[in-house]
Amino acid sequence: MSNSPFIFEATLENFQEKVMDASQSTPILVDVWAEWCAPCKQIMPILEKLVDEYNGGFLLAKVNADQQEQLTASLGVRSLPTVILVKNGQAVDGFNSALPEGEVRKILDQHVEKAEEQETPYDKAHRLWEEGDLDGALAIFSQLNQQNPDDLNVLIDLAQIKAEQGDLDTAEQVLESLPPEEKLQSKAKQLAARLKILRQAGELPPIKDLEMALEQDPKDPDALHQLSMQYALNDRNAEAMDLLIRLMQSNPDYKDGIAKTSLVELFEKLGNNNPDVRTYRRKLYTLMH
């Protein structure tokens, strides 16, 4: 099956939740097919192309007729392929032959918003996240994860939100569940760095206290390091990196070189394309050479 986040396998057990209930907010196109059905194989790539083109305007639920005999019978399927469009919990349209792409598009356009007018669920989740609605973003990411558990980007986003909500144990379990090669990808490494910083947060004094300590002693190593972590937690990343460079300059051996370690962790958290990372990576190189 395609790796599209808009396509999922429908079964007797999940049909009510993932098709009937979900169709209250997003139309669901149900494709009943079988391996031996030649017309099914003709229509399948057309449906997969359109569901990606419509960018979440509708979802594609695939029902394997041979594996889901009871569900197939309950849908009243008499021939294959059978394609049913479900909206607001009701079958509103459909067809049972390998129609040309243009004909399928005409059917969809009667019931589905145009792709350019539709915000994808993934984009909507990120927008809600940026607006501070963590619960709303989490609900969408959870639904996307149910539809396509192999989408590791969605899985890591779920873990990021769990971490921001304070559920660090769940976030770390997700991180540990990733395949070894995925743990080396930038998004997973950023999550790992974020979790490490968050683990330290409960032990840190308030920002104002640390800023006052630095006013009294600009080279106080504890204040430099702890304030850099507080700044990092509040996305004041350039200020955090600047404090770590100052700590390396004044006390490079503090806690076995923790300033350099923390700086590298911040690089991991932000990613190589971040302009502040490029700036402070050069400063770190200059300092070390």
Side-chain angles (χ1 to χ4, degrees):
M1 188 174 73
S2 168
N3 289 325
S4 170
F6 309 122
I7 302 175
F8 63 95
E9 293 281 0
T11 65
L12 182 64
E13 291 74 21
N14 70 16
F15 196 82
Q16 180 63 44
E17 176 188 357
K18 298 184 72 171
V19 176
M20 304 305 290
D21 294 346
S23 73
Q24 298 291 341
S25 57
T26 305
I28 311 291
L29 195 66
V30 180
D31 175 26
V32 186
W33 66 285
E35 287 286 353
W36 47 264
C37 170
C40 296
K41 294 183 178 180
Q42 292 174 18
I43 193 68
M44 191 175 296
I46 293 174
L47 301 181
E48 292 179 351
K49 174 189 175 184
L50 290 173
V51 76
D52 282 332
E53 180 182 318
Y54 278 66
N55 271 336
F58 72 96
L59 302 179
L60 178 59
K62 301 176 78 167
V63 177
N64 187 317
D66 291 333
Q67 296 177 2
Q68 298 294 326
E69 294 182 359
Q70 187 175 345
L71 175 58
T72 300
S74 71
L75 293 174
V77 173
R78 298 179 182 276
S79 63
L80 298 180
T82 290
V83 181
I84 306 166
L85 184 61
V86 182
K87 187 174 183 180
N88 297 323
Q90 301 289 329
V92 295
D93 215 329
F95 53 92
N96 55 8
S97 61
L99 295 181
E101 180 180 326
E103 293 299 314
V104 178
R105 193 185 298 274
K106 286 180 182 178
I107 292 172
L108 290 171
D109 286 346
Q110 295 178 44
H111 307 282
V112 178
E113 292 183 41
K114 297 291 185 181
E116 59 269 22
E117 299 171 357
Q118 183 74 24
E119 182 180 35
T120 70
Y122 187 80
D123 289 341
K124 181 178 180 180
H126 272 275
R127 175 175 58 78
L128 292 176
W129 189 354
E130 291 171 2
E131 293 172 355
D133 184 1
L134 297 185
D135 290 337
L138 183 64
I140 295 174
F141 281 135
S142 297
Q143 184 179 29
L144 291 174
N145 177 246
Q146 290 175 2
Q147 292 164 1
N148 188 3
D150 294 329
D151 189 332
L152 297 181
N153 280 327
V154 169
L155 190 61
I156 293 174
D157 285 334
L158 270 172
Q160 291 272 26
I161 291 183
K162 285 290 188 181
E164 289 193 24
Q165 291 180 325
D167 189 355
L168 303 186
D169 290 339
T170 297
E172 287 179 341
Q173 288 170 9
V174 171
L175 186 62
E176 287 303 312
S177 73
L178 296 176
E181 64 275 11
E182 290 298 329
K183 292 180 182 179
L184 300 177
Q185 299 301 316
S186 60
K187 198 167 182 177
K189 292 168 78 172
Q190 290 170 21
L191 172 59
R194 177 74 173 173
L195 287 172
K196 189 165 186 178
I197 293 171
L198 285 167
R199 283 292 186 195
Q200 298 172 349
E203 306 168 4
L204 298 176
I207 287 179
K208 288 185 178 180
D209 292 352
L210 292 168
E211 289 174 339
M212 289 179 59
L214 276 185
E215 286 180 10
Q216 297 173 3
D217 180 3
K219 293 185 178 182
D220 181 339
D222 290 331
L224 282 168
H225 183 249
Q226 291 174 350
L227 185 56
S228 74
M229 295 297 97
Q230 282 282 33
Y231 282 166
L233 287 170
N234 288 275
D235 291 322
R236 296 167 64 176
N237 298 300
E239 294 170 276
M241 289 185 277
D242 189 66
L243 290 176
L244 292 170
I245 289 290
R246 284 171 53 185
L247 179 54
M248 288 184 66
Q249 290 171 331
S250 63
N251 196 337
D253 297 325
Y254 172 73
K255 290 190 176 180
D256 296 323
I258 197 171
K260 178 184 174 184
T261 301
S262 298
L263 194 57
V264 171
E265 288 171 355
L266 264 178
F267 293 163
E268 296 285 2
K269 172 196 167 191
L270 299 172
N272 291 328
N273 293 327
N274 185 285
D276 290 331
V277 169
R278 292 196 292 267
T279 297
Y280 283 92
R281 198 184 291 279
R282 286 194 297 270
K283 290 186 178 184
L284 175 61
Y285 180 84
T286 300
L287 192 60
M288 294 180 64
H289 295 84

